[in-house]
Amino acid sequence: MTGGAFARVLPSEADFTQWYDDIITRAELADYGPVDGTMIIRPYGYALWERIRTELDARIKACGAQNAYFPLFIPQAYLSRVPELEGLGSELAVVTKAGGAQLTDPVVVRFSSETVIGEFLAKWVQSYRDLPLLLNQWANVVRWEINPSLFMRTNEFLWQEGHTVHADQDEARDYARRIQREVYEDLMVNVMAIPAVAGIKSRRERSGGPELNTFTCEAMTGDGKALQMGTSIEGGQTFAKAFDIKYLSRDGRRELPWTTSWGASTRLIGGLIMAHGDSDGLRIPPALAPTQIVVMAVNAAVVGLVHAIATEMREAGLRVFTDDRTDIEFGQRVARWGLKGVPLRVEIGKGELDAGTAILARRLSEASKTAVPLPELTTRATRLIEDEQRAMLDAARAERDSRITVVGTVAEAAAAAAGGWAKLPWSALAETGEDELARSGVTVRCLQRPDGSTPDSDAEPDLVAFVARAY
Amino acid sequence: MTGGAFARVLPSEADFTQWYDDIITRAELADYGPVDGTMIIRPYGYALWERIRTELDARIKACGAQNAYFPLFIPQAYLSRVPELEGLGSELAVVTKAGGAQLTDPVVVRFSSETVIGEFLAKWVQSYRDLPLLLNQWANVVRWEINPSLFMRTNEFLWQEGHTVHADQDEARDYARRIQREVYEDLMVNVMAIPAVAGIKSRRERSGGPELNTFTCEAMTGDGKALQMGTSIEGGQTFAKAFDIKYLSRDGRRELPWTTSWGASTRLIGGLIMAHGDSDGLRIPPALAPTQIVVMAVNAAVVGLVHAIATEMREAGLRVFTDDRTDIEFGQRVARWGLKGVPLRVEIGKGELDAGTAILARRLSEASKTAVPLPELTTRATRLIEDEQRAMLDAARAERDSRITVVGTVAEAAAAAAGGWAKLPWSALAETGEDELARSGVTVRCLQRPDGSTPDSDAEPDLVAFVARAY
């Protein structure tokens, strides 16, 4: 009754974008702001972000990084320090007037803080004693978008960016991979119930320069595409060179350190919708849900009881909302909580009041309704929360696996990726395989070792490639 | 031994500003960013902000408000909706270029979100069922500063701003006062150990229009001035009129609601430094301190023991840092933790190892050192943490009271406010009193009832006025 497969009904692929936008509006997650392409994150959407941020932040701190805050405004001259930033011009917002006057030196609005952080790391890193230096920042960033989509691409979004400095290359690589696995993958799998595939990018798809690993977590969306949801980059010594970060080693030499950088954003909320939503709305796994259980009064006579139950459940550590708006039709209210993706409902009406029971039900599922004696309710609800979390992950994993076609050639991969993902030997892609895939709008999402672990480099033997169309 | 008066040594008033800046630099709280007047909040400063934010956020949520997020960019046209904003021009930053082109309509960088929130409240508030609508936002805001000071006045700072809509005036006023007392004053007194004086502003000093209450919390700084650290404003119906916010009442009429707004910022960190710091550096009350206890190894032989003790203390819920850097001179390390304001130290050397004890000490106080048997250490440290919190508040209250002179006339008030605060009957200020004070750079900081509670209006009889020079 509590586990098992989900009857997840999705719109056709053609309607997927419309369905996605509708959910965001109808579940009151977000809205466009008055300036084109900007986003207002409404309380329910922001509660999701707060839960994601809290979970990520705890994992980032467990990896030893400390939070700091760098300014919103960046000197334009800093852009020239990093060659990859030169192409950013079309995404930047520039302040030319401030304090009632034209600025002699216009300033760029933060697109990332990497340049300012680089400047200050050069001051703060002096000796081997200062290493590793592990920083993270939670902030808003601006990248001007021509074709905005709420949570996926907006002119401003919220994210965290981590920047770390290490004395040697292996330590830096291991740290970047640790962030990938212990921060991003762990959040996605164990909190968001999204069985993301973790691996390294191919050279063509790397962010940190062609010689350096980009560690990625890729989620499968309801329309069978891939969404990159958390990225951790080996910076080699390029970043240290660009910002003249040097340290005095134990034996008194000035050395270039090795860096990493990594980030995840409000795009994770887009991923949540696309990975779990169905034709009735959002579905939020209990470990993430701002409200895990809604306790509903069917009529005014049970309002007091409903509040007492909610209090008991809160004391047991559950996140509970009380719905005592008995002047609204009950079915409408159930549909609304289903739309908002609240995992469980408790329903109490006159029948339950008389019988000393409550109905415990999974989101929108008539079949899951069970009458539970009140003294057992909190215990049963707590267990059902755990079951539901596991069931959502199991179902998502089964769905993902059923939509990954194992193939042997590039042509087969391109064909399979029309409706899902394909998996093939990295060696089968050879030198021209990625170009060939690109002609069908398909890219290599990541490379894994055969046992699913993350390789040290794309030169390792026997790697497998996951390919798909991507957001 | 554990309570009692503090020997708080402060610099002369003439050096106070230099002392303030030095503490921020030496304790590694913050630094200026590369764009004039911007601030980098370093990890230790940001850890303080995270603690403040967590404590404020829990209190805001306990008052029923939900967090949301509104965009960084605001249409310039919105400024004309609120007459008070017209004067803001010289503080604004304006984006005129974005996406690689000149913007036809330049956008203003968020100085507060009140205008955008007003626009959207008008959409979201439709019926009496939607009220009260209680929103809060955590964000960065920009106000261009000619004369910056870290944490006190920077071009960009971090804050929260709350905006609420209510069906009637009394409810709105009570809510604004509840935020003043249960959120701001409670944080200041019970977490930050700052005995802020809470009251209402005089008409001359109000923020929300002359007819409406501004509720304020005023802290006394080490140089005897006042610092406004948290403000809660009754908006009356002015804001609702400006943004055309209306609701359908129970009896089917379109009514104007009543609003409140309230905010506190990273300025609270400036207040912490000024309220508690001494000539040795910061002093952070344990309830706020990111690190409550530093466990110090005097030499390499005790490093393992020191880590074991720290683990035990963490399991007991204490926030502990382990200082095992025995290659740095011990006295230097003690001074560094004193500078950073960590309330307690545990010191362990060979003597303690042999005796099965540890030294428990208050910040920089030789006299407070006590040898404690290891099995009792965590219990004793927990108790000392509580004692220290109480002692800091008691000492701050005693110092504050000793520097408030009770007077009867405006002339006496102006004289007393040269070195501290003055308190006098509000009626003694009459119509011209505030102008007279202003000539000595002194203002009315707030009005209270004789019993210390917050009045409903400045027309109540028997109010007392606190006057001081202010930051």
Side-chain angles (χ1 to χ4, degrees), chain A residues 31-35 38-44 46-47 50 53 57 61 66-76 78 89-100 103 107 109-110 116 119-120 123-124 128-130 135 138 140 142 144 155-156 158 325 327-328, chain B residues 31-35 38-44 46-47 50 53 57 61 66-76 78 89-100 103 107 109-110 116 119-120 123-124 128-130 135 138 140 142 144 155-156 158 325 327-328:
Chain A
D31 212 336
Y32 284 106
V35 171
T38 62
M39 172 167 61
I40 289 166
I41 309 181
R42 299 186 65 178
Y44 194 55
Y46 199 78
E50 284 181 307
R53 198 185 58 193
D57 196 63
K61 285 178 175 148
Q66 293 184 296
N67 289 335
Y69 187 79
F70 293 83
L72 179 67
F73 296 135
I74 296 169
Q76 241 172 343
Y78 277 27
S90 66
E91 296 180 37
L92 299 178
V94 185
V95 172
T96 58
K97 283 169 61 181
L103 293 177
V107 297
V109 181
R110 172 171 55 208
V116 187
E119 282 289 317
F120 279 79
K123 288 191 191 183
W124 297 335
Y128 69 93
R129 288 170 188 277
D130 300 321
L135 287 182
W138 291 97
N140 53 340
V142 169
W144 215 258
N155 282 354
E156 178 196 7
L158 306 182
R325 298 181 68 170
D327 52 347
I328 301 174
Chain B
D31 212 336
Y32 283 106
V35 172
T38 63
M39 171 167 61
I40 290 166
I41 308 180
R42 300 187 66 177
Y44 194 56
Y46 199 78
E50 283 182 308
R53 199 184 58 192
D57 195 64
K61 285 178 175 148
Q66 293 184 295
N67 289 334
Y69 187 79
F70 292 83
L72 179 68
F73 296 135
I74 295 169
Q76 240 171 344
Y78 277 27
S90 66
E91 295 181 38
L92 299 178
V94 185
V95 171
T96 58
K97 283 169 61 182
L103 292 178
V107 296
V109 182
R110 172 172 56 209
V116 187
E119 282 288 318
F120 279 79
K123 289 191 192 184
W124 297 336
Y128 70 93
R129 288 170 188 277
D130 300 321
L135 287 181
W138 291 97
N140 54 339
V142 168
W144 216 257
N155 282 353
E156 178 195 7
L158 305 182
R325 297 180 68 170
D327 53 347
I328 302 174

Side-chain angles (χ1 to χ4, degrees), chain A residues 41-60:
Chain A
I41 309 181
R42 299 186 65 178
Y44 194 55
Y46 199 78
L48 279 173
W49 178 241
E50 284 181 307
R51 295 271 321 131
I52 289 171
R53 198 185 58 193
T54 301
E55 295 282 348
L56 277 176
D57 196 63
R59 284 166 178 77
I60 289 167

Side-chain angles (χ1 to χ4, degrees), chain B residues 12 41 92 107 125 154-155 167 187 207 218-219 237 245 263 284 349 371 383 409 419 429 441 461:
Chain B
S12 69
I41 308 180
L92 299 178
V107 296
V125 170
T154 46
N155 282 353
L187 170 89
S207 315
E218 306 277 328
Q237 295 181 307
I245 306 172
I284 309 179
R383 205 165 57 223
T409 68
L429 279 148

Side-chain angles (χ1 to χ4, degrees), chain A residues 176-319:
Chain A
R177 190 157 41 190
R178 189 176 167 199
I179 294 290
Q180 175 199 35
R181 292 288 186 170
E182 296 178 24
V183 177
Y184 298 140
E185 187 189 27
D186 191 63
L187 169 89
M188 292 174 203
V189 174
N190 295 318
V191 178
M192 302 181 76
I194 297 176
V197 173
I200 57 170
K201 287 288 183 192
S202 65
R203 273 158 206 260
R204 185 193 172 100
E205 303 288 328
R206 284 171 181 175
S207 316
E211 299 310 314
L212 298 158
N213 283 315
T214 296
F215 299 102
T216 181
C217 293
E218 305 277 329
M220 185 184 283
T221 56
D223 56 349
K225 295 185 185 171
L227 178 66
Q228 184 168 341
M229 284 178 40
T231 309
S232 184
I233 298 167
E234 261 196 90
Q237 294 180 307
T238 313
F239 189 79
K241 269 181 211 145
F243 291 94
D244 200 24
I245 306 171
K246 288 205 176 122
Y247 72 99
L248 209 61
S249 69
R250 247 171 237 275
D251 45 10
R253 278 186 305 211
R254 298 264 292 162
E255 304 266 14
L256 273 176
W258 303 77
T259 64
T260 80
S261 63
W262 27 279
S265 74
T266 33
R267 192 173 228 223
L268 285 163
I269 297 175
L272 175 79
I273 301 166
M274 291 194 177
H276 288 307
D278 66 16
S279 57
D280 293 319
L282 267 182
R283 292 189 317 143
I284 309 179
L288 180 65
T291 297
Q292 297 175 310
I293 304 181
V294 56
V295 185
M296 302 181 68
V298 175
N299 53 55
V302 298
V303 165
L305 178 59
V306 151
H307 281 279
I309 288 171
T311 302
E312 181 189 311
M313 287 184 159
R314 279 191 199 106
E315 281 164 5
L318 298 170
R319 295 189 290 275

Side-chain angles (χ1 to χ4, degrees), chain B residues 37 66 96 150 179 185 198 203 212 285 320 333 359 398 436 443:
Chain B
Q66 293 184 295
T96 58
L150 291 169
I179 293 290
E185 187 189 26
R203 274 159 205 260
L212 298 158
V320 178
R333 289 189 282 148
I359 302 291
E436 202 177 322
T443 48

Side-chain angles (χ1 to χ4, degrees), chain B residues 130-149:
Chain B
D130 300 321
L131 301 181
L133 203 159
L134 314 171
L135 287 181
N136 179 57
Q137 171 175 259
W138 291 97
N140 54 339
V141 285
V142 168
R143 299 185 187 180
W144 216 257
E145 286 287 349
I146 290 162
N147 185 18
S149 164

